[in-house]
Amino acid sequence: EREREKERERQRELEKEKETKQTTFTSSRPSQSSSPPGSFLIIGRRQASFSGPDNPFTDQTPGGADSAPTNQDASSSSGGASNPPSKARLLGTSMHHSASTPALIPDPTSHATVPTTPPPASVTSSQSSPMMPTPVTLPPPSFTISSQALSAHAAAVTRCKFSGIGTKIASAAADGVVRVWGVDAQLRSNTSIFCFAEVLSLAWETKASRLLVCGTSEGKIKVWNVLADKAMGDIVVEPEYPRVEDIACSPSGSYFVTSQGSTKRSAGVLMTWNFKTLKMEHRIVVEPPTVLNSISFNHNGSIMVAGGADGMIRVYDMKTCAAIAGWAAHAGGVAAVQFSADETAVYSVGGDRRIVQWSIHTAGKIIREYQWYNPEPGMDGPRSTDPLSRTSAGSSLRPSASTGALHTIANLSSASMSFDSEGRYMAVATGGNSAVLYDVAQSAPVQVLGGHTSRVSCVDWHPTNLTCLTGSLDQSIKVHKLAKITDEKK
């Protein structure tokens, strides 16, 4: 009897020890509902490693969409554990990521890499909670500003953009009309382009600024030859992804990339198009599914950075057409994202009222955070979990009903941020009637570019001088010429 009692006691102890081990293993796994901004995520074929001979930021001939994809094994993690080869592969013209291949993030309790499921659609940790605006007092003006208004649109302005050589201005409106202006003393409109749907995106060819690409909300891309003043052609995109959210032209001048979203903005794709043939060459499905609000090339077109509605910043290798890195950046979605002038950093504007400078060499590391400033705080708009939320009608200029979930800015666009030619000054549309000017070396705003009677929807800098464009829902465009005030004049 005593022997049987001892045996039962040993069994109970073994079961208790087994339960303790299971509990410890479960609790050590990272929580997927609380990925903090700055956490690093491997979402492509290999971990981002921007140093050595494979550095994509060194001068090299961009492979672009014409380069054949190459299969690479995942590189080793920081702790030395080797990641398995990714299942991502190029099938025809589509990039598919196998659902059976888990994303990888570093386990904070171990040096080994722990497989886990993709991150949530929104960032919910306390570290990523939206920052409430703090009172900001502007310093004495750094510039004298002379502004000139252009009032030729009959609807809200959605985009305005200088050509790559600065001789033309293109502006688009919600009624589907795009106008091209000559940059001279009169600033006269030379051309009107009719797209017959709300224009969501606009981009100039980078080489000679001869071609202008317009993307609409209803599945069409128009390529216009400005010099010949005629259409090169119209592209009808996939009906599954009709919204052309943003366009970026490759620095090589041979192709352009479109970010396209579904009607409900629940999924998206990147597509590369040949300028000569206007044919699609590559199709990259965004994983985990989301819409990429903003896309931007580095100087040679080998790398693209993208900001998603899920709050993630993703980095794509355009030679392999694969996502190579990404991190949780904003709650409420990334509205705009761009490389710094020296390409050591990425800047982003989020729906959580945050403007952040991120390191590109240590993905997810914050270098500087800028003070959010809105001269008209009542203009911030309704609260929404997506800074680019649309109504059922599809208009980007009609805010959706408030969800009360996050204090975000409704309808910020990929044109909400722009840098001057030297990369020293940044103009940001923060949801008010004025754009806010920042010195990138300082966290506080420097000055405002005002004069509009409704929300500023887009900003852009001249490629060679201190002239900034602002477009507004008041149907006008303003050209602001800035002159630096010297210390003696101050």
Side-chain angles (χ1 to χ4, degrees), residues 87 97-102:
K87 300 295 184 182
H97 294 268
S98 172
S100 62
T101 305

Side-chain angles (χ1 to χ4, degrees), residues 20 32 45 49 110 136 170 173 224 234 238 290 382 406 427:
T20 304
Q32 294 308 305
R45 300 184 178 186
S49 178
S110 171
V136 176
W224 189 269
D234 290 341
E238 295 179 10
T290 191
L406 294 170

Side-chain angles (χ1 to χ4, degrees), residues 197-262:
E198 180 187 357
V199 179
L200 300 179
S201 49
L202 204 63
W204 287 92
E205 173 206 9
T206 53
K207 287 289 186 180
S209 297
R210 178 176 59 94
L211 304 177
L212 179 66
V213 188
C214 316
T216 74
S217 62
E218 297 183 6
K220 289 187 179 180
I221 302 169
K222 183 179 286 291
V223 181
W224 189 269
N225 188 320
V226 175
L227 298 183
D229 200 21
K230 65 178 183 180
M232 274 190 62
D234 290 341
I235 300 171
V236 179
V237 303
E238 295 179 10
E240 185 181 355
Y241 303 102
R243 300 183 60 82
V244 186
E245 303 285 351
D246 201 14
I247 301 172
C249 294
S250 168
S252 69
S254 61
Y255 72 99
F256 63 94
V257 179
T258 57
S259 171
Q260 296 167 217
S262 60

Side-chain angles (χ1 to χ4, degrees), residues 210-366:
R210 178 176 59 94
L211 304 177
L212 179 66
V213 188
C214 316
T216 74
S217 62
E218 297 183 6
K220 289 187 179 180
I221 302 169
K222 183 179 286 291
V223 181
W224 189 269
N225 188 320
V226 175
L227 298 183
D229 200 21
K230 65 178 183 180
M232 274 190 62
D234 290 341
I235 300 171
V236 179
V237 303
E238 295 179 10
E240 185 181 355
Y241 303 102
R243 300 183 60 82
V244 186
E245 303 285 351
D246 201 14
I247 301 172
C249 294
S250 168
S252 69
S254 61
Y255 72 99
F256 63 94
V257 179
T258 57
S259 171
Q260 296 167 217
S262 60
T263 303
K264 295 184 178 180
R265 290 177 47 81
S266 58
V269 293
L270 290 173
M271 295 188 180
T272 66
W273 305 85
N274 187 292
F275 259 125
K276 290 184 178 180
T277 64
L278 299 185
K279 299 293 185 181
M280 184 186 71
E281 294 186 332
H282 295 91
R283 180 180 184 273
I284 308 170
V285 178
V286 181
E287 295 290 352
T290 191
V291 173
L292 298 180
N293 298 325
S294 176
I295 54 178
S296 178
F297 278 108
N298 70 333
H299 78 286
N300 61 14
S302 61
I303 295 292
M304 172 177 282
V305 64
D310 60 354
M312 295 284 296
I313 291 177
R314 294 165 170 81
V315 181
Y316 288 88
D317 185 341
M318 296 310 294
K319 288 188 174 183
T320 60
C321 290
I324 57 174
W327 61 92
H330 292 277
V334 182
V337 63
Q338 284 191 36
F339 282 103
S340 62
D342 60 4
E343 297 186 354
T344 61
V346 169
Y347 291 84
S348 65
V349 177
D352 51 5
R353 291 191 180 101
R354 296 173 67 217
I355 305 168
V356 185
Q357 180 186 8
W358 306 88
S359 169
I360 195 65
H361 297 293
T362 307
K365 177 184 177 182
I366 294 178

Side-chain angles (χ1 to χ4, degrees), residues 46 60 101 117 154 180 226 259 319 364 395 413 447:
R46 56 186 174 84
Q60 53 186 294
T101 305
T117 55
V180 180
V226 175
S259 171
K319 288 188 174 183
S395 172
S413 73
Q447 206 165 338

